[in-house]
Amino acid sequence: MTRSVSFALETIRTVAWMKEVARQARAEGRIIGLVPTMGALHEGHLSLIHRARQDCNPVIASIFVNPTQFGPKEDFTKYPRSFESDVAQLSAAGVDSLFAPDAAEIYPNGFHTYVNVEGLSERLEGRSRPGHFRGVATVVLKLLEIVQPHFAYFGRKDAQQAGIVQQLVRDLNLNANIVVCPIVRESDGLALSSRNAYLKPGERRAATVLYRALDTARKEIASGARDALHLQAAMRRVLDAEPLASTDYAEIVDAGTFEPVTQIRRACYALVAAFIGGTRLIDNMLIEPREGAEGDFHVSL
Ligand code: PAF
């Protein structure tokens, strides 16, 4: 597939303009990829762009710090914002267009419609962050409607978010294919997250506890452990032993429904969430049956 050479990244501020750019691309028979972000970009986001570039042309990225997915006591106002460096990174990564609306463009006066993916949105992250997934589902639906991409890319670090988006797409018969991409980690295992920027040096070291907890469960699974309570307790022990961490949850759930399981028999997630100082971090690993080897599981951290 030949790509057009773009000299400057086009930044689109309005819904009308974004729809027109996407409409033209569809009319030309092109495959549109969407990478939704809230900015403060890191290698995790760039891995989504790289993946999108393999499948799509044009690749459209969005930067929108979505106010409706933050609770009243959460970090909306202090969420890291680095628009200029984000644009430079997206441009260097070969993004064709950037959709960066302001809040009034997405939620104009008189806006009253929200989307709620029931059940899935109430567990785990949803229990700790009431209303969070209603905000995520609403803005993602709006982005999918505005851009109408063939493919949209999400990181597996936010596994429950990706599951909710997949459910939304199924339930509302949307056309986008949702692609969930691997977690990108620092060399010591810490999953990349825009919120890592909040960590003070001591906290940064302590933050690897999420990875260490998952890695402990991974080793247990490799030694044959399948009991969810046993694995959860093993992860919790690691998290609780870190003085700077305050554990929110350490759970093994079904990879499709995010319902708790008692035994690992099918694809599952091990999910952990903890406060490191004032910063809430999440991480997970995917546990999947190994093909052709009954009872054996492959783990992706
Ligand atoms: O994962 C994120 O950055 C956000 O939740 C998303 C998907 C861009 C929606 O605001």
Side-chain angles (χ1 to χ4, degrees):
M1 193 186 295
T2 51
R3 303 187 68 85
S4 57
V5 180
S6 72
F7 296 98
L9 176 60
E10 181 186 24
T11 300
I12 299 172
R13 297 285 183 186
T14 67
V15 168
W17 184 13
M18 184 67 259
K19 281 187 166 180
E20 179 52 22
V21 168
R23 189 198 61 74
Q24 274 180 28
R26 269 193 310 281
E28 289 165 15
R30 301 208 276 155
I31 305 294
I32 302 175
L34 173 67
V35 181
T37 83
M38 297 207 300
L41 301 182
H42 49 65
E43 285 299 326
H45 297 109
L46 297 180
S47 73
L48 305 182
I49 306 279
H50 295 318
R51 174 64 208 275
R53 273 174 52 95
Q54 288 168 16
D55 309 332
C56 308
N57 179 12
V59 173
I60 297 170
S62 64
I63 295 182
F64 180 64
V65 186
N66 175 34
T68 64
Q69 69 186 73
F70 291 80
K73 296 202 179 113
E74 291 187 350
D75 55 345
F76 173 64
T77 47
K78 73 164 192 162
Y79 193 82
R81 288 164 172 86
S82 50
F83 191 72
E84 275 174 25
S85 105
D86 291 349
V87 173
Q89 291 187 72
L90 293 175
S91 197
V95 163
D96 298 281
S97 299
L98 167 61
F99 182 43
D102 66 18
E105 186 68 15
I106 295 296
Y107 300 114
N109 278 339
F111 182 91
H112 286 302
T113 305
Y114 291 87
V115 192
N116 192 32
V117 177
E118 291 182 2
L120 212 50
S121 294
E122 281 124 43
R123 296 190 269 284
L124 300 154
E125 284 305 281
R127 195 179 47 218
S128 300
R129 304 181 65 189
H132 169 64
F133 285 129
R134 173 185 185 256
V136 170
T138 302
V139 80
V140 170
L141 177 59
K142 288 192 64 126
L143 291 169
L144 293 177
E145 275 302 303
I146 293 164
V147 176
Q148 305 221 358
H150 298 83
F151 294 92
Y153 297 83
F154 294 83
R156 203 199 76 214
K157 211 257 307 156
D158 296 296
Q160 192 179 1
Q161 165 173 282
I164 283 168
V165 171
Q166 285 170 320
Q167 183 78 46
L168 174 81
V169 164
R170 268 198 306 279
D171 289 350
L172 299 184
N173 307 107
L174 305 180
N175 288 323
N177 293 289
I178 303 302
V179 183
V180 183
C181 300
I183 298 176
V184 180
R185 298 182 179 280
E186 303 276 11
S187 56
D188 62 2
L190 179 66
L192 295 193
S193 159
S194 303
R195 288 194 168 94
N196 293 349
Y198 298 147
L199 298 168
K200 301 186 184 99
E203 294 172 348
R204 169 63 188 80
R205 278 189 295 279
T208 59
V209 71
L210 285 92
Y211 173 78
R212 288 187 273 120
L214 293 168
D215 197 44
T216 299
R218 180 189 65 75
K219 287 179 187 139
E220 292 268 351
I221 293 167
S223 316
R226 298 289 180 266
D227 182 74
L229 283 181
H230 171 82
L231 292 164
Q232 285 166 194
M235 292 193 289
R236 227 171 221 285
R237 266 197 302 281
V238 177
L239 289 164
D240 292 347
E242 171 50 61
L244 294 184
S246 157
T247 309
D248 183 350
Y249 59 75
E251 295 202 20
I252 309 281
V253 301
D254 179 275
T257 63
F258 289 78
E259 295 268 17
V261 297
T262 52
Q263 291 284 321
I264 296 183
R265 293 214 177 89
R266 50 187 189 274
C268 293
Y269 279 114
L271 300 162
V272 290
F275 278 93
I276 308 293
T279 306
R280 189 166 183 286
L281 298 178
I282 58 175
D283 200 349
N284 70 76
M285 72 183 182
L286 179 60
I287 308 158
E288 293 171 295
R290 212 185 277 280
E291 228 172 276
E294 193 157 338
D296 198 8
F297 286 85
H298 171 78
V299 167
S300 310
L301 256 160

